[in-house]
Amino acid sequence: KRVIQSRADIDPDFETTNGIKGHGFEIVQDLIMNAERRAVRQRYDDAVGRLYRALELLVQIHLLRSHDIRTGDVDINNIPHNWRDEYEELRYAHNNNQIRLSFRQTYRLLRVFKDDPLSLLYEENAKKLEDILSVRNNSLFAHGFRPISAADYHRLKDNAVSFMKSA
């Protein structure tokens, strides 16, 4: 029920009367456990995709809760004034005149909020997280043709889970 509420908190199209309030990141924890179940079945591409989504959800939830920013439709007024032009430029690259942020853009947005704790943690772990993004993007699951091995999965999982626990 906490996972259900966690999803309802981040997904404006998901309605529930069944949820129980928790810390808000239960949906991230659920995806991590789901990735582990996929890996047990040797579906490493799928498992890494779920880790990637968990990392993405982590920052999305953080931005929504800490800065009232939805990464699928950024309200430019919630970004500090001196950074607005940079993000306003992204508006014209997407449909419906919305500003939608990619995985990298979402984590980079954190830098505009001085001393944001997740931003500082991301900067310390950026290389490891870029490794996850690179492997995922080069896999059959995303944009490439390289299957993800068990060794790849375990290395990426250790880095991703360590980062998410610290966050």
Side-chain angles (χ1 to χ4, degrees), residues 6-7 10-12 25 27-32 34-35 45-61 70-72 101-103 106-107 129 132-133 136-137 141 160 163-164:
S6 177
R7 174 163 174 202
I10 190 73
D11 181 355
F25 293 90
I27 193 168
V28 174
Q29 293 171 316
D30 188 56
L31 273 171
I32 294 168
N34 193 284
D45 290 79
D46 193 11
V48 167
R50 289 163 198 269
L51 288 176
Y52 169 89
R53 182 64 180 125
L55 285 165
E56 187 176 51
L57 266 174
L58 173 77
V59 70
Q60 289 173 333
I61 292 167
R70 289 191 179 275
T71 60
L101 303 180
S102 69
F103 180 93
T106 300
Y107 272 100
L129 297 177
I132 293 166
L133 186 60
R136 179 251 180 202
N137 284 346
F141 188 81
F163 172 78
M164 288 186 275

Side-chain angles (χ1 to χ4, degrees), residues 113-145:
F113 300 103
K114 188 174 169 55
D115 298 325
D116 183 282
L118 188 55
S119 178
L120 300 173
L121 185 63
Y122 174 74
E123 291 304 318
E124 293 171 14
N125 292 276
K127 184 168 177 24
K128 291 177 185 176
L129 297 177
E130 285 294 321
D131 187 32
I132 293 166
L133 186 60
S134 176
V135 169
R136 179 251 180 202
N137 284 346
N138 291 318
S139 76
L140 283 166
F141 188 81
H143 310 291
F145 298 98

